[in-house]
Amino acid sequence: SMQQLLLIFKALSEETRLRILRLLEKEELCVCDITESLNMTQPNISFHLGMLKEAGLIKDRKDGRWMHYSLNTSDVFIRFLLLGVFERIKDKSAKEIKRKEKC
């Protein structure tokens, strides 16, 4: 629908959310891993994750008390859109993911 398209393009219009998607391109990650990699606060990352999830670009999975996020590749349109996005951004600014013991 038109509303869903607006949510998708709004979610893709912010650098932090693009960096999060880039991190999730390789693997499922816990919020703490994303927070560490982007050197941002957990509430800030959670806000951006919420927007990406609302747009249907990512999905979450609860494991104990931790939430893990991954790309939502079940929708063909989303899958191809993300491929196009990743083709155009070559973001090397995110630190290497160093998993925390608690995740």
Side-chain angles (χ1 to χ4, degrees):
S1 72
M2 179 77 76
Q3 186 62 31
Q4 187 63 29
L5 281 174
L6 290 172
L7 287 172
I8 290 168
F9 287 109
K10 182 178 180 181
L12 293 173
S13 69
E14 208 281 326
E15 182 182 354
T16 299
R17 292 189 285 273
L18 290 174
R19 292 175 68 203
I20 291 170
L21 290 172
R22 189 73 174 165
L23 289 172
L24 295 175
E25 179 185 17
K26 296 180 175 144
E27 61 186 316
E28 176 183 76
L29 294 171
C30 178
V31 173
C32 60
D33 293 326
I34 298 168
T35 301
E36 177 75 17
S37 178
L38 298 181
N39 195 27
M40 297 175 77
T41 64
Q42 187 273 326
N44 195 344
I45 293 297
S46 291
F47 169 78
H48 290 295
L49 288 168
M51 291 195 73
L52 291 167
K53 186 177 175 199
E54 182 182 11
L57 297 169
I58 64 171
K59 58 186 177 180
D60 60 6
R61 176 182 66 83
K62 190 166 178 73
D63 182 20
R65 57 183 248 211
W66 303 109
M67 291 299 288
H68 296 267
Y69 293 88
S70 60
L71 297 179
N72 179 13
T73 57
S74 62
D75 182 297
V76 174
F77 172 72
I78 298 283
R79 189 179 319 146
F80 282 113
L81 181 62
L82 289 174
L83 281 172
V85 167
F86 296 144
E87 185 70 26
R88 285 165 180 76
I89 58 173
K90 307 289 187 219
D91 184 19
K92 304 284 188 209
S93 62
K95 295 179 194 169
E96 188 68 27
I97 299 293
K98 293 179 183 164
R99 299 216 180 264
K100 292 190 171 190
E101 292 289 323
K102 64 181 182 176
C103 291

